Amino acid sequence: MHDELPSGIQEVIDSLRLNTSSDFCGLACLSGTMLRWKYTSGASNERVKRMEMRPGQDLVGTALRTGRTVLTDVQSTGEHTPGRCPLMLAERLVCAVAVPVFQDGSVPGAILLVGSRLPCTFSPEKIRQAEQVAIQLESKVYG
């Protein structure tokens, strides 16, 4: 995948963060075996853009591996804890939704993450918004 991604993606990321009243929104793209946060909105510092992550057993890795939306919030009781995700630690996020962005409609090649620095519950509407934006980003990132 090229380092130069199409324009318009930053605006979509900013808009999603504002529309979901979230503290952070980001798009991480696979580059080889590493995930890199190409677009962010609400990041507390620039360190996130330099961060490279191996997809692991955390929230982001699970969404990438399964091709399904994964969330951790005050109502979820899964194994996904913020302490296991480097981005969530770096950005002090306590709740997040990770949505896969598919390449060629079948293989996840990127992750869209929406997060909060305060305990919260993601409504079905907010989750649906994130999933719709992920579908919209497929054509922008891979189109």
Side-chain angles (χ1 to χ4, degrees):
M1 185 167 146
H2 305 294
D3 274 354
E4 292 297 317
L5 293 177
S7 64
I9 294 176
Q10 185 63 52
E11 291 80 10
V12 171
I13 298 296
D14 290 338
S15 177
L16 178 62
R17 183 178 65 82
L18 294 173
N19 290 338
T20 58
S21 302
S22 300
D23 295 316
F24 177 89
C25 187
L27 178 69
C29 299
L30 268 177
S31 181
T33 60
M34 302 298 279
L35 273 172
R36 291 186 176 91
W37 295 94
K38 297 285 187 177
Y39 294 93
T40 62
S41 179
S44 59
N45 61 58
E46 287 298 309
R47 183 175 59 173
V48 172
K49 292 242 181 164
R50 294 188 307 271
M51 186 181 285
E52 294 181 346
M53 299 175 14
R54 274 196 170 68
Q57 301 299 316
D58 59 19
L59 184 82
V60 172
T62 300
L64 193 65
R65 193 174 57 258
T66 64
R68 293 186 170 172
T69 299
V70 181
L71 73 126
T72 180
D73 64 9
V74 295
Q75 288 191 341
S76 65
T77 55
E79 64 184 59
H80 313 293
T81 58
R84 298 172 94 190
C85 179
L87 174 82
M88 290 182 73
L89 280 173
E91 285 297 319
R92 300 179 319 280
L93 302 175
V94 294
C95 298
V97 175
V99 183
V101 178
F102 291 92
Q103 183 176 1
D104 301 324
S106 61
V107 179
I111 293 293
L112 176 65
L113 187 123
V114 178
S116 173
R117 292 185 179 95
L118 298 172
C120 69
T121 300
F122 289 100
S123 69
E125 177 57 31
K126 284 185 181 181
I127 295 168
R128 201 169 19 259
Q129 275 183 286
E131 290 173 337
Q132 288 171 344
V133 167
I135 291 168
Q136 180 185 353
L137 287 172
E138 288 176 24
S139 61
K140 289 184 176 291
V141 175
Y142 302 112

